[in-house]
Amino acid sequence: MFEGYTGYIVAGATTTLEIALSSLAVATVLGLMGAACRLAPNLLLSRVAETYSTLVRGVPDLVLMLLVFYGGQIAANALLEALGLPAMDFNQFMAGVLTLGFIYGAYLSETFRGAIMAVPKGQWEAGWAYGMGRSRVFLRIILPQMIRFAIPGYTNNWLVLTKATALVSVIGLQDMMFRAREAGAATREPFTYLLVVGAVYLAITSVSLLLLKWAEKRYSAGVRMGEI
Amino acid sequence: MLDFAMLIEPDNLKLYADGLLTTLKLLLVSLACGLAVSVPLSVLRVAKSPLLYGPVWLYTYVIRGTPMLLQLYLIYYGLSQFAVVRDSLAWPLLSDASFCAMLALAINTCAYTTEMLAGAIRATSHGEVEAAKSVGMSRATLYRRILLPSALRRSLPAYSNEVVMMLHATSLASTVTLLDITGAADRLYSTYYMPFEPFLAAALVYLLLTWGLVRVFRQLEGRYLAYLAPRSH
């Protein structure tokens, strides 16, 4: 149907999913670290985390992406040179994933901060009463309970992140958006290919929303809802 | 290491100033059109008949489920595929990058604003609707006097988020050759081959615009949502 471009687009869809999932992993780690720092008693840590989230959320994704993508390599190599190490060649995929992860880590840190604060204070105190340390209480008691509060915001960020992966096509990564443009230009049918890719994005969104419903149910086991 | 001297050359400053104007024009025109269309659509969205809410649901679902960049490309690059479009009277407009960017931005913000307003209309307290009905208001009057004014006010905080998102979305216009703030920075980058200075300057402008918008909306909230604020003593 698509003049032999089917495999080409499918490979792009795989790249898109790979970028999205890898960036989500990076963003989740950065988000958790950001949230933990924001809530830490150390003033310096919480200020740094606050600055990170405020600055990143105030600038368009595309500008950050161009900044990190074009500038990141130069900066990293300048740093390596200063340390007396040889220069490195960064692969595009890594650069894209790290940039997206860095941006969405800021958004996720806000989601996680809210979710951690939503867990009743008594849970911390109960953990301490059993003689657990701060990190153990966090990992064993708070983390599993905060998931329920974080799920809606987390899914939202995932949906926005998936759509934001389309931006990596601007900096030359061969995701499905990039390939749709190429195939469209070659066959003079840009609309057709863009439409197909749009349908794939929509499918990813729809499946994610179904998973959200399932996860919400799973992590709300044993929670009593107010009856309306 | 960083050298900002080239940014304050008159030509380059003018590039940024023009870019700022382009960004603001894109933002204001698309927000105004999007908001104007989203009000009637949100009323349809909360209607009981699937014939009325169905098409609006589909529109918001598709737009909110696909990247804005894709929508922009579909309009700017995609439409030229069809001879009908190329021969039509609208072609001078549809081949203009500025018009396409505004159209894509307006279609996008309209979908998000419609859902936001529909949510606010649904959240109107039961008593207000009942009171309006009890004094004999017709449906049209109910919407015009009670539901819409209240829903628009209560949507202000969510709308301020939407406006900031749209400000950031205008940067995509640079991908279809427009010289907005991002486009200006990109041009300087390719002229001087210096990535940091131009994009950092652009980031700073967006940051200031974002903070400005947040402040304006805080003022508006203080004015229009005063009745929802906690009682002060």
Side-chain angles (χ1 to χ4, degrees):
Chain A
M1 179 186 175
F2 296 116
E3 302 172 40
Y5 278 105
T6 315
Y8 186 66
I9 300 288
V10 170
T14 318
T15 311
T16 294
L17 270 179
E18 277 170 10
I19 295 175
L21 289 171
S22 322
S23 326
L24 185 70
V26 175
T28 305
V29 173
L30 281 177
L32 279 174
M33 280 165 53
C37 291
R38 272 297 282 278
L39 296 168
N42 185 325
L43 204 63
L44 180 72
L45 276 182
S46 76
R47 280 284 153 76
V48 170
E50 194 183 341
T51 311
Y52 162 58
S53 106
T54 313
L55 288 185
V56 170
R57 293 184 306 140
V59 177
D61 294 359
L62 182 62
V63 175
L64 280 172
M65 181 120 16
L66 294 171
L67 184 67
V68 177
F69 200 78
Y70 293 143
Q73 186 145 354
I74 299 178
N77 279 333
L79 190 73
L80 286 174
E81 204 181 285
L83 293 171
L85 296 165
M88 257 169 56
D89 206 21
F90 288 88
N91 97 18
Q92 271 187 323
F93 183 85
M94 284 296 287
V97 165
L98 289 179
T99 313
L100 280 171
F102 176 72
I103 297 170
Y104 284 88
Y107 288 91
L108 280 182
S109 77
E110 294 296 316
T111 304
F112 290 145
R113 188 174 67 103
I116 292 171
M117 292 199 310
V119 178
K121 274 263 183 306
Q123 299 286 330
W124 284 96
E125 286 160 10
W128 289 328
Y130 275 101
M132 296 186 193
R134 259 189 89 85
S135 51
R136 183 163 289 183
V137 175
F138 182 73
L139 288 176
R140 284 212 187 145
I141 314 242
I142 305 301
L143 205 63
Q145 295 188 77
M146 73 90 138
I147 292 178
R148 180 167 78 88
F149 300 109
I151 285 177
Y154 192 74
T155 320
N156 233 340
N157 277 305
W158 156 250
L159 293 176
V160 181
L161 168 64
T162 314
K163 288 182 273 166
T165 58
L167 293 179
V168 299
S169 65
V170 176
I171 49 178
L173 254 168
Q174 305 212 346
D175 72 325
M176 88 179 147
M177 190 74 180
F178 182 90
R179 286 162 187 255
R181 288 268 290 126
E182 295 274 292
T187 55
R188 293 170 166 259
E189 285 180 354
F191 197 86
T192 317
Y193 284 97
L194 288 169
L195 207 61
V196 169
V197 162
V200 179
Y201 279 114
L202 208 55
I204 297 177
T205 309
S206 305
V207 171
S208 306
L209 286 173
L210 285 177
L211 284 178
L212 163 75
K213 274 209 179 119
W214 171 82
E216 263 183 341
K217 225 184 210 161
R218 168 121 175 45
Y219 281 96
S220 299
V223 177
R224 253 177 98 170
M225 299 290 175
E227 273 171 43
I228 306 164
Chain B
M1 191 169 110
L2 291 178
D3 176 20
F4 287 96
M6 60 101 171
L7 287 180
I8 48 173
E9 276 173 31
D11 281 358
N12 298 342
L13 269 185
K14 186 167 182 310
L15 196 61
Y16 273 105
D18 290 345
L20 180 63
L21 283 181
T22 307
T23 294
L24 288 178
K25 192 178 101 185
L26 286 171
L27 179 68
L28 292 178
V29 172
S30 59
L31 280 178
C33 298
L35 184 62
V37 180
S38 72
V39 174
L41 285 187
S42 66
V43 173
L44 290 178
R45 181 74 182 84
V46 296
K48 282 197 189 73
S49 153
L51 278 176
L52 293 176
Y53 77 73
V56 183
W57 170 83
L58 187 67
Y59 159 65
T60 62
Y61 189 74
V62 169
I63 295 297
R64 297 192 309 153
T66 52
M68 155 90 203
L69 186 66
L70 183 100
Q71 295 153 18
L72 179 60
Y73 280 3
L74 265 176
I75 294 173
Y76 186 64
Y77 296 116
L79 286 179
S80 63
Q81 176 177 334
F82 307 106
V84 191
V85 178
R86 286 198 306 272
D87 298 337
S88 74
L89 284 173
W91 183 239
L93 277 178
L94 287 173
S95 56
D96 174 44
S98 179
F99 178 80
C100 286
M102 276 180 212
L103 185 64
L105 284 164
I107 289 176
N108 197 271
T109 180
C110 181
Y112 284 92
T113 313
T114 300
E115 283 301 324
M116 183 191 82
L117 284 177
I121 293 175
R122 280 192 212 104
T124 308
S125 79
H126 187 63
E128 284 180 42
V129 182
E130 228 169 41
K133 281 185 182 158
S134 76
V135 294
M137 279 191 192
S138 66
R139 268 194 92 71
T141 319
L142 170 69
Y143 269 100
R144 186 164 51 83
R145 288 224 186 125
I146 311 291
L147 289 177
L148 285 176
S150 150
L152 282 166
R153 278 168 191 249
R154 279 178 289 119
S155 305
L156 259 179
Y159 194 61
S160 82
N161 270 334
E162 171 61 19
V163 170
V164 170
M165 287 312 232
M166 282 314 283
L167 167 69
H168 294 177
T170 58
S171 69
L172 297 180
S174 68
T175 62
V176 292
T177 70
L178 283 181
L179 282 175
D180 67 328
I181 301 171
T182 311
D186 202 36
R187 166 159 299 183
L188 287 186
Y189 160 68
S190 46
T191 312
Y192 295 87
Y193 196 61
M194 298 204 295
F196 285 109
E197 296 81 354
F199 289 120
L200 277 179
L204 185 69
V205 177
Y206 282 113
L207 212 52
L208 291 175
L209 283 175
T210 304
W211 282 340
L213 284 172
V214 168
R215 275 191 80 94
V216 168
F217 272 94
R218 207 171 290 159
Q219 291 284 323
L220 287 174
E221 277 172 38
R223 167 109 174 66
Y224 290 104
L225 290 178
Y227 72 110
L228 291 177
R231 209 181 302 172
S232 55
H233 295 282

